[in-house]
Amino acid sequence: MKRYLILLLLSFHGLWAQVQFEARVSKNTLGLNERLQVDFFMNIDGDNFNEPSFDGFRVVGGPMQQVSQSWINGRSSFEKVYTYYLLPNQKGSLIIKQATIEYNGRVYKTSPVKINVTAAIEQPKDPNDTSVSADTNLYLVADISKTNPYVNEPITVVYKLYFSYNIGIRNFKELSKPKYNDFWSQNIDVKQLVLEEGMFKGEKFRYVVLRKTVLYPQKSGKLTIEPLSLDIDVELPTNRRNIFGQMQIKQDSKRVSAGAKTISVKALPEAGKPADFSGAVGRFDFKVTPSKTELKNGESLDLVVSVAGKGNLKLFTLPKPVVPNALEMYDAVHNEQVNTPLSGMVGKISDSYTIIPQYKGDYPIKPMQFSYFDLNSGSYKTISSKEIIVKVLDGPTATNATAPNSGVQKNQVVANEQFKYVKLETKLEPIAQNDFFGSKLFYGLLLIPFGLLPIIVLAKKKKEAIDGDVVGNRIKRNNRLAKKYLSEAKKQINNKEPFYVALEKAMHNFLKAKLHIETSEMSKDNIKEILLSKNANSEAVNEFIALTENCEIARYAPSSSATIQKDYEKAVSIISDLEKQLS
């Protein structure tokens, strides 16, 4: 009876005993390259154990389960432990979240555990620890071409992974990407990892090039390149051998970092800096090229301002031409043909301006200058273009008030075919046998000039009326430009930015032709009011204005070829509808 009473009391004691379920960690602060052991301990045999997600960590071992039960002095004890080994993926404060179990119909949870992860630390060199042996056999190196460049001088960073012949590499993963604050950067694609051999720290190593980057510093001073860090799965030799005497290989992981690099950037010298210097650094050639210099009334020319060579081509602006008031110049279409190899940018950039003359005459386009800093000589260089004379052969004549810069002199006399020299020699011919005077041919030829005279007068008056109709000529030019730019947009349908520039110009010139307005009058409200007053459909007007506003945004926003094709078709449809409604 006494024995059964003791067992009953022990049973009640087990029921009344407090349930213990908690998470225990090997350390609360560890380096980025250290492992963390996490034990989920319970003093009861719980069911349905659910591990946490381990956000910010990578599980490199576990779960491993251990159960122990004992009787001491008549008292029983029970322990169950789930063990995990973790590697942190990032620095900072990380949380190991709650794990859960079920016991007697109730759910028990562990308390969250806060872990502070610091930068990688130097570990003790234990010769029996195979994970430490990788320290002297595995290196990540950032080779920098120059550590004291000028502002906007290109430098290269090549990341190489060196590893000795004693270890093997199975896989690697980027933990942190390098950051290039205050640099313009361009990655060079490494299409395939190629195993090479080379000397490192006086020994022969194998290595692979992982990443290549071209950098252009954008300000002077000490700039820091944040490091590239990798988590690498390695194969390391052990002190054990198999039954055939072969050394056994152990798989492990190793974290390596290229380390932060400091670049001391020199400012460009102030002495001798030209007033028009816009930040170009390198070696360049500068040209200003007109498509033609002689035009008829209503024709246009393209003026191309271009810079070619080697340097920071994408990081400066081209000078803008200055033209007389009688030449109408439209916004530039920018074009870049630039490659970026490891040595830096090379190629050509250009701005193309469409210029349309308003009046007859000769018009000068002033010489242009382009300045750059030459890295070879360490000095500034300036290139000047020649003056360009645009000759407009016909069209309305400008007055001094309308075209002050036209280049037409006040009392200029233009020679033409009406004034000829008197012939100094006489050429006599024999008189025909048949008398020409009084013949039918004589009277016919005599009357022909009188019949042609009214036709000539009418044709001349009509031409003068056409030439004098400046507004009408401008409408015709705008119509032609709208068709020209709509055609250009179709050609550039695979190039987003040129497409939307041409499409926007086509729609603007369509409005100029139909509404008889200038660019300065093209406000959203003004366009809408004029179109509606001309009985245009309100839906078509709203679609036209929305598409015009979208052209500027779409140049820089991501867009697919399907979206560009849809915008082109919409523009053609809207212009066609408005053409019918406004005619």
Side-chain angles (χ1 to χ4, degrees), residues 514 534 577-583:
K514 289 298 176 185
K534 292 183 177 289
D577 290 344
L578 290 177
E579 180 78 34
K580 296 174 183 177
Q581 297 168 19
L582 299 176
S583 59

Side-chain angles (χ1 to χ4, degrees), residues 357-386:
Q358 304 294 312
Y359 306 100
K360 178 182 177 181
D362 295 347
Y363 303 99
I365 298 177
K366 296 180 180 180
M368 299 174 62
Q369 289 187 337
F370 172 74
S371 300
Y372 67 93
F373 182 74
D374 186 0
L375 291 169
N376 292 337
S377 62
S379 61
Y380 293 96
K381 300 290 180 68
T382 299
I383 305 174
S384 299
S385 67
K386 296 180 179 179

Side-chain angles (χ1 to χ4, degrees), residues 287-459:
K287 290 183 179 179
V288 180
T289 309
S291 59
K292 49 187 169 183
T293 55
E294 293 188 356
L295 304 172
K296 295 180 180 179
N297 183 32
E299 292 184 338
S300 64
L301 68 89
D302 291 329
L303 187 68
V304 180
V305 181
S306 63
V307 168
K310 182 178 181 181
N312 59 331
L313 287 161
K314 296 183 179 181
L315 304 177
F316 60 83
T317 56
L318 293 170
K320 186 176 181 178
V322 177
V323 301
N325 295 338
L327 300 180
E328 185 174 3
M329 184 173 69
Y330 288 83
D331 292 340
V333 176
H334 187 70
N335 184 42
E336 294 182 353
Q337 297 173 335
V338 181
N339 295 320
T340 310
L342 200 59
S343 57
M345 286 185 253
V346 61
K348 178 181 178 181
I349 61 172
S350 64
D351 285 342
S352 179
Y353 296 86
T354 298
I355 297 177
I356 302 175
Q358 304 294 312
Y359 306 100
K360 178 182 177 181
D362 295 347
Y363 303 99
I365 298 177
K366 296 180 180 180
M368 299 174 62
Q369 289 187 337
F370 172 74
S371 300
Y372 67 93
F373 182 74
D374 186 0
L375 291 169
N376 292 337
S377 62
S379 61
Y380 293 96
K381 300 290 180 68
T382 299
I383 305 174
S384 299
S385 67
K386 296 180 179 179
E387 182 181 69
I388 298 171
I389 303 296
V390 178
K391 297 183 178 180
V392 184
L393 303 180
D394 56 9
T397 302
T399 64
N400 290 339
T402 57
N405 300 323
S406 64
V408 179
Q409 297 179 5
K410 187 173 183 179
N411 296 319
Q412 184 178 8
V413 177
V414 181
N416 53 43
E417 290 297 319
Q418 294 178 357
F419 300 94
K420 296 183 179 179
Y421 290 104
V422 177
K423 294 183 178 180
L424 301 178
E425 296 181 359
T426 302
K427 185 178 181 182
L428 301 177
E429 295 181 358
I431 299 175
Q433 296 294 329
N434 297 326
D435 192 1
F436 174 70
F437 183 78
S439 65
K440 293 181 179 180
L441 181 60
F442 168 78
Y443 288 111
L445 295 176
L446 183 64
L447 295 174
I448 285 175
F450 294 98
L452 293 176
L453 186 60
I455 299 175
I456 294 173
V457 171
L458 291 174

Side-chain angles (χ1 to χ4, degrees), residues 164-208:
S164 71
Y165 291 86
N166 299 325
I167 66 173
I169 304 293
R170 291 190 299 113
N171 192 18
F172 67 88
K173 180 180 70 174
E174 285 189 358
L175 294 176
S176 62
K177 296 181 181 293
K179 296 179 181 178
Y180 310 110
N181 298 326
D182 300 315
F183 290 91
W184 182 94
S185 63
Q186 175 71 56
N187 288 328
I188 308 298
D189 289 338
V190 179
K191 297 181 179 179
Q192 185 177 1
L193 298 181
V194 179
L195 185 64
E196 301 180 59
E197 293 182 346
M199 298 299 293
F200 183 73
K201 292 191 173 184
E203 299 181 12
K204 198 171 184 180
F205 273 75
R206 294 174 293 173
Y207 72 91
V208 291

